[in-house]
Amino acid sequence: MKILVTGGTGYIGSHTVVELQNKGFEVIIVDNLSNSSIEVLDNIARITGKKPLFEKFDLTDPGKTEDFFQLHNDISAVVHFAAFKAVGESVHFPLMYYRNNLVSLINILQEMINNGIRDVVFSSSCTVYGQPEKLPAREETPIQKANSPYGNTKQISEEIITETSENENIRAILLRYFNPIGAHESAMIGELPLGIPNNLMPYITQTAIGKRDFLRVWGNDYRTPDGTAIRDYIHVVDLAKAHVVAVERMIANKGKKKIETFNLGTGKGASVMEVIQSFERSTGIQLNYKILDRRPGDVEKVWADTSFANQELGWKAEKSLDEMTYSAWKWEKALAAKAEHEKKQGN
Ligand code: UFG
């Protein structure tokens, strides 16, 4: 069966393509490479023995999207990752975020309808819960007003999909990710942040490798045991596997509703200090860090109730925090080795 993976050369997308191919699915990727590299295709092939099909274009272009779906008329389901994802950038360029994230979704849904494709798995985020009053966050936890245009695109996307499914032959699984970190154990694919990373894990590994002087820990006066903010970090490979289960569930008609929503996390929160300690333990490296003031817009603590995903999907995150931090470090070292090799070749 052929699965369309939009954004399949990106961080979570590439890991999902690997897991889909490992399960025997044929994958076609659409990506405009605005935040990823074409080399990812060869690296996926090195891991799985098969290079996925690939088309480079921008899904915000309705004509190109229409042509693509007409040409590839054997797609069984869609996994839609393609989107901008930087919270801070979205505050500066809201229209860019709304146009990119929403227009691409609208075009995909329209072509799914036109071509009789029913099933879509959508990348959503725990950002829809904001700071929940009660923890852990359940799927029924009230959605709060988004605190960034990025977060708002996730909320609006969930609504667009849900409302479309009411009158069209469209079904969806909405996956609300907590904090994905880590990389494939082969260290052939991983996160490739552009410029200075905003997220904790790549900032830690870039500090350890010497690209950054020190990690800024944003606040240690939260109401948490060690004062630093708590998140539910999940290994990207565990997350990718959940997408395969979601695709299989839809194709096998096992869904119970047209729209199903699942939290994807480990169910365990870790503070910023605990992530640093895990990194130091798993790699044996002492990390340079300084405590600074809180970062505006950050929530204090959030972690998932994953019981619904565990029971309904029969899926559970298996990898430990130490495995996450160690795999992220292995990936950072692989990137450094590649950069060194390229530098030597250039000389
Ligand atoms: N942090 C630091 N220093 C850094 C970077 C992060 O202390 O240099 C802290 C943050 O303050 C936060 C934690 O590490 O407490 C995690 O921060 P990330 O930026 O890695 O992740 P966020 O939880 O802020 O954001 C993530 C995704 C968003 C998504 C959001 C939903 O990156 O896409 O979760 O909560 F919207």
Side-chain angles (χ1 to χ4, degrees):
M1 278 191 174
K2 196 188 269 183
I3 310 297
L4 165 61
V5 180
T6 76
T9 50
Y11 174 43
I12 306 172
S14 59
H15 287 83
T16 300
V17 171
V18 165
E19 298 305 324
L20 282 167
Q21 293 197 159
N22 281 345
K23 280 287 190 113
F25 288 101
E26 189 182 0
V27 173
I28 181 158
I29 294 174
V30 169
D31 204 304
N32 65 1
L33 299 178
S34 67
N35 192 17
S36 60
S37 157
I38 189 81
E39 289 168 28
V40 169
L41 298 176
D42 287 328
N43 295 335
I44 291 173
R46 284 166 69 201
I47 297 169
T48 63
K50 195 170 178 214
K51 196 165 170 173
L53 300 170
F54 176 72
E55 296 268 359
K56 183 186 169 199
F57 69 92
D58 196 319
L59 288 155
T60 60
D61 183 325
K64 286 187 180 150
T65 309
E66 183 181 354
D67 292 347
F68 169 84
F69 275 90
Q70 274 180 7
L71 192 65
H72 300 277
N73 56 6
D74 56 349
I75 290 169
S76 300
V78 179
V79 185
H80 179 42
F81 291 105
F84 291 154
K85 60 172 185 178
V87 176
E89 185 184 57
S90 79
V91 174
H92 287 107
F93 304 106
L95 289 182
M96 186 172 108
Y97 269 67
Y98 288 116
R99 183 177 297 114
N100 187 65
N101 293 7
L102 301 181
V103 175
S104 56
L105 174 67
I106 291 166
N107 289 342
I108 289 164
L109 288 173
Q110 186 62 63
E111 291 312 319
M112 286 177 65
I113 293 165
N114 293 349
N115 293 278
I117 304 167
R118 193 185 46 189
D119 298 330
V120 57
V121 177
F122 177 70
S123 303
S124 189
S125 166
C126 71
T127 192
V128 301
Y129 302 124
Q131 176 59 66
E133 271 179 34
K134 271 201 238 152
L135 285 165
R138 294 162 49 82
E139 287 80 358
E140 297 75 30
T141 293
I143 284 179
Q144 295 195 31
K145 186 177 159 31
N147 64 5
S148 72
Y150 159 76
N152 208 18
T153 68
K154 292 297 174 191
Q155 292 188 6
I156 297 170
S157 294
E158 287 197 0
E159 287 171 1
I160 290 175
I161 295 169
T162 304
E163 289 167 9
T164 305
S165 78
E166 282 160 17
N167 293 309
E168 301 286 352
N169 193 17
I170 290 286
R171 303 187 304 195
I173 291 184
L174 312 176
L175 298 177
R176 292 181 179 156
Y177 312 151
F178 282 69
N179 285 53
I181 60 170
H184 193 265
E185 60 172 1
S186 65
M188 288 177 192
I189 53 171
E191 192 171 6
L192 272 174
L194 279 182
I196 301 172
N198 287 306
N199 295 115
L200 179 62
M201 198 66 242
Y203 211 104
I204 288 178
T205 56
Q206 289 198 5
T207 303
I209 206 99
K211 277 192 189 169
R212 314 278 157 218
D213 291 340
F214 57 90
L215 171 76
R216 293 160 179 80
V217 174
W218 303 124
N220 69 346
D221 57 352
Y222 286 108
R223 289 165 303 161
T224 60
D226 65 22
T228 61
I230 293 179
R231 298 288 183 274
D232 186 340
Y233 297 93
I234 174 170
H235 199 298
V236 68
V237 172
D238 278 333
L239 191 73
K241 286 179 178 166
H243 291 75
V244 180
V245 177
V247 166
E248 288 171 338
R249 179 181 177 89
M250 299 191 92
I251 288 174
N253 279 315
K254 289 205 183 124
K256 301 210 170 117
K257 292 192 291 182
K258 276 187 117 176
I259 303 291
E260 296 187 307
T261 307
F262 296 101
N263 281 344
L264 297 183
T266 62
K268 288 195 283 286
S271 70
V272 176
M273 281 314 298
E274 284 172 324
V275 176
I276 294 171
Q277 285 152 9
S278 165
F279 178 81
E280 293 185 335
R281 187 167 56 233
S282 67
T283 64
I285 295 168
Q286 285 284 107
L287 192 77
N288 235 342
Y289 65 86
K290 287 186 188 161
I291 311 279
L292 278 94
D293 287 345
R294 295 181 183 192
R295 183 169 70 175
D298 271 353
V299 300
E300 181 170 75
K301 50 188 166 193
V302 63
W303 62 91
D305 182 331
T306 60
S307 49
F308 187 55
N310 299 158
Q311 283 156 24
E312 274 299 313
L313 297 177
W315 163 91
K316 202 171 189 316
E318 282 165 356
K319 293 181 188 291
S320 67
L321 187 57
D322 286 7
E323 288 174 280
M324 301 181 212
T325 53
Y326 181 69
S327 65
W329 175 236
K330 229 173 121 182
W331 165 243
E332 188 70 60
K333 280 197 298 185
L335 285 177
K338 183 169 168 274
E340 186 62 27
H341 178 72
E342 281 166 2
K343 209 168 110 191
K344 272 191 195 143
Q345 281 196 325
N347 286 342

